[in-house]
């Protein structure tokens, strides 16, 4: 899957942000590494070094800024999950978002997509202000894939699932079974 995503990124300029616990899966693609701990970004490197090798960062600067988070804070009750977080994601980047369970990775992704509202700060996605733009409009510019694929399936059959996005965007008419 990571190979397919990387090829799509290279061919189309997609920006891909992957939340992953194991570096070994992503290392061959030399993504930018963003590591989180306790709701903050604690490391942001141009690439993941190979084990036992001298790190030679490959430029992973990418193009224009597509996602911009500024002073992003998210709280669950009184507990801060994200703390004053800043992050830019650029066109064409492959970014590995790493961190222990509970470090804020999924919360960050949900805030970036407008699925959660931050306590403070701002997010812009593809030129649109998240929180002021309907999530359905944001979904035309960005997608969110869950770590557990079972949480992503919404329809009762494979055919219905395959047609769901096209129908929601008005691009697919009803198809006879």
């Amino acid at each position: 899957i990571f190979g397919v995503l990387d090829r799509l990124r290279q061919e189309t300029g997609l920006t891909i942000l992957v939340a992953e616990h194991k570096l070994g899966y992503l290392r061959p693609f030399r993504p930018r590494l963003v590591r989180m701990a306790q709701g903050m970004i604690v490391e942001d490197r141009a690439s993941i070094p190979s084990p036992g090798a001298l790190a030679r960062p490959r430029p992973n600067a990418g193009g224009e800024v597509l996602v911009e988070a500024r002073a992003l804070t998210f709280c669950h009750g009184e507990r801060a999950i994200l703390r004053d977080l800043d992050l830019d994601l650029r066109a064409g980047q492959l970014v590995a978002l790493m961190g222990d369970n509970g470090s804020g990775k999924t919360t960050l992704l949900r805030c970036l997509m407008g699925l959660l509202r931050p306590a403070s700060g701002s997010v812009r996605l593809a030129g649109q202000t998240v929180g002021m733009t309907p999530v359905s409009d944001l979904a035309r510019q960005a997608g969110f894939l869950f770590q557990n694929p079972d949480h992503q399936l919404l329809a009762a059959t494979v055919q219905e699932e395959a047609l769901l996005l096209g129908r929601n965007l008005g691009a697919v008419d009803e198809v006879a079974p």
Side-chain angles (χ1 to χ4, degrees):
I1 294 294
F2 290 131
V4 170
L5 290 173
D6 191 53
R7 190 177 80 241
L8 283 171
R9 177 190 65 83
Q10 290 177 30
E11 292 173 2
T12 66
L14 283 173
T15 301
I16 300 172
L17 176 62
V18 177
E20 179 57 65
H21 294 275
K22 299 178 182 176
L23 284 175
Y25 293 132
L26 293 168
R27 187 173 274 119
F29 307 105
R30 299 184 65 197
R32 172 181 164 196
L33 170 66
V34 175
R35 192 167 61 84
M36 294 184 68
Q38 300 178 353
M40 297 181 290
I41 293 175
V42 295
E43 183 178 7
D44 191 344
R45 298 174 55 125
S47 67
I48 301 171
S50 298
L54 293 175
R56 281 193 232 151
R58 179 180 73 176
N60 197 1
E64 68 178 302
V65 175
L66 294 180
V67 178
E68 179 184 301
R70 292 290 174 263
L72 191 62
T73 297
F74 180 85
C75 298
H76 184 72
E78 295 293 318
R79 193 173 123 237
I81 307 297
L82 300 177
R83 295 175 178 86
D84 201 31
L85 186 141
D86 291 332
L87 180 66
D88 287 341
L89 302 174
R90 296 180 173 276
Q93 285 188 314
L94 174 59
V95 180
L97 181 61
M98 310 290 293
D100 292 337
N101 288 340
S103 63
K105 299 179 305 292
T106 301
T107 299
L108 171 60
L109 294 174
R110 289 180 175 163
C111 285
L112 295 179
M113 289 297 302
L115 300 174
L116 292 176
R117 234 169 244 255
S120 63
S122 65
V123 176
R124 291 189 55 77
L125 173 68
Q128 299 176 64
T129 301
V130 173
M132 301 185 75
T133 305
V135 173
S136 59
D137 289 348
L138 296 173
R140 294 175 191 268
Q141 301 297 319
F144 182 91
L145 302 175
F146 295 88
Q147 285 178 302
N148 182 341
D150 291 338
H151 297 163
Q152 189 132 337
L153 300 174
L154 305 173
T157 69
V158 172
Q159 180 177 1
E160 290 172 10
E161 189 71 37
L163 296 172
L164 187 63
L165 178 62
R167 285 182 179 147
N168 286 344
L169 296 177
V172 173
D173 294 327
E174 291 300 314
V175 176

